[in-house]
Amino acid sequence: AFASRRRSYEEALPSLIKYFLKTLASGHATEVLDPAELQILIMKLLQKRSWQTVQKTAGLMGRDQIISAARAACAKLSTRPEPL
């Protein structure tokens, strides 16, 4: 719901944390996300870093860009490759 803009970051936060931890544990997150996307999700969801800290580290221009990047990363996580 967050990736498709049906829920705000704040509304989706508990589910996002749980889902991201699950994808990290399975290895899916490291397979499909690039290092910058992983960094943003780790800093915001797991380390609970401030918007300013994530902005400076990721080279983004504020909260809206961070949320957009997180939405895009979550959309990537929700797609699974077709089985062979």
Side-chain angles (χ1 to χ4, degrees):
F2 171 73
S4 60
R5 298 181 177 266
R6 290 189 305 234
R7 291 177 71 190
S8 71
Y9 174 81
E10 290 76 14
E11 290 174 318
L13 189 56
S15 297
L16 287 174
I17 292 168
K18 184 177 178 181
Y19 183 68
F20 185 53
L21 284 171
K22 183 178 174 183
T23 63
L24 274 176
S26 71
H28 182 63
T30 56
E31 290 173 5
V32 300
L33 299 179
D34 64 44
E37 292 167 323
L38 274 171
Q39 181 183 45
I40 289 167
L41 292 181
I42 289 169
M43 290 181 75
K44 252 340 260 173
L45 299 178
L46 305 183
Q47 297 176 344
K48 302 190 184 343
R49 301 282 185 99
S50 71
W51 294 108
Q52 283 185 323
T53 300
V54 177
Q55 172 188 333
K56 289 177 186 174
T57 304
L60 298 173
M61 298 298 293
R63 184 180 188 274
D64 289 343
Q65 279 194 351
I66 295 166
I67 289 176
S68 291
R71 284 187 198 280
C74 288
K76 279 175 130 177
L77 287 176
S78 67
T79 59
R80 293 257 179 204
E82 292 295 319
L84 298 174

